[in-house]
Amino acid sequence: MHELGVISSMVKTIEEIIKEEGFTEVQKLVLEVGELSGVVPHYMEVCFPAAVYKTFMENTVLEMETVPGIVRCKDCGREFNAVAQDFCCPKCGSHDMEILSGNDVMIKELLCS
């Protein structure tokens, strides 16, 4: 489960950001989690309390938004949701695709005080 490492890394990054901006606390963290990122949102939710325990983010509310895994078929050019189509182009049946979106985990919003 690498989700704990992802969260721990984000906590360090967020700490640097809020110190630079003169804040002391993060009330809410909103993450965008791509369907193709390899990160399981449920595991992020489970790991979050352990990752922020006894930190400036201990009382932070975590929200996550899923970003669809959109790809383009390299054979026919069709764009589609890879997860919904079981990684198979619905037009030509190809499995050769280029990722357009949904392969990242990003900090979308921080509500600080």
Side-chain angles (χ1 to χ4, degrees), residues 11 15 48-59:
V11 169
E15 183 175 25
F48 186 74
V52 299
Y53 180 67
K54 291 193 176 184
T55 71
F56 66 99
M57 291 180 65
E58 190 167 28
N59 297 315

Side-chain angles (χ1 to χ4, degrees), residues 83-99:
V83 175
Q85 295 296 325
D86 202 25
F87 297 90
C88 181
C89 179
K91 184 175 180 182
C92 72
S94 174
H95 294 280
D96 191 13
M97 54 197 75
E98 170 189 7
I99 297 173

Side-chain angles (χ1 to χ4, degrees), residues 57-98:
M57 291 180 65
E58 190 167 28
N59 297 315
T60 301
V61 173
L62 174 65
E63 290 183 14
M64 287 187 288
E65 299 175 359
T66 301
V67 178
I70 304 299
V71 298
R72 178 181 298 121
C73 177
K74 289 184 178 181
D75 292 333
C76 72
R78 173 91 180 247
E79 292 182 12
F80 59 97
N81 183 311
V83 175
Q85 295 296 325
D86 202 25
F87 297 90
C88 181
C89 179
K91 184 175 180 182
C92 72
S94 174
H95 294 280
D96 191 13
M97 54 197 75
E98 170 189 7

Side-chain angles (χ1 to χ4, degrees), residues 1-8 10 29-31 33 39-53 58 60-66 105:
M1 182 184 324
H2 66 282
E3 284 78 4
L4 181 58
V6 172
I7 290 280
S8 296
M10 281 187 183
L29 166 62
V30 180
L31 299 179
V33 180
V39 172
V40 180
H42 174 72
Y43 292 164
M44 294 280 278
E45 291 172 339
V46 170
C47 291
F48 186 74
V52 299
Y53 180 67
E58 190 167 28
T60 301
V61 173
L62 174 65
E63 290 183 14
M64 287 187 288
E65 299 175 359
T66 301
V105 176

Side-chain angles (χ1 to χ4, degrees), residues 99-110:
I99 297 173
L100 301 177
S101 68
N103 64 330
D104 295 319
V105 176
M106 298 179 59
I107 298 170
K108 179 180 179 183
E109 179 183 341
L110 289 172

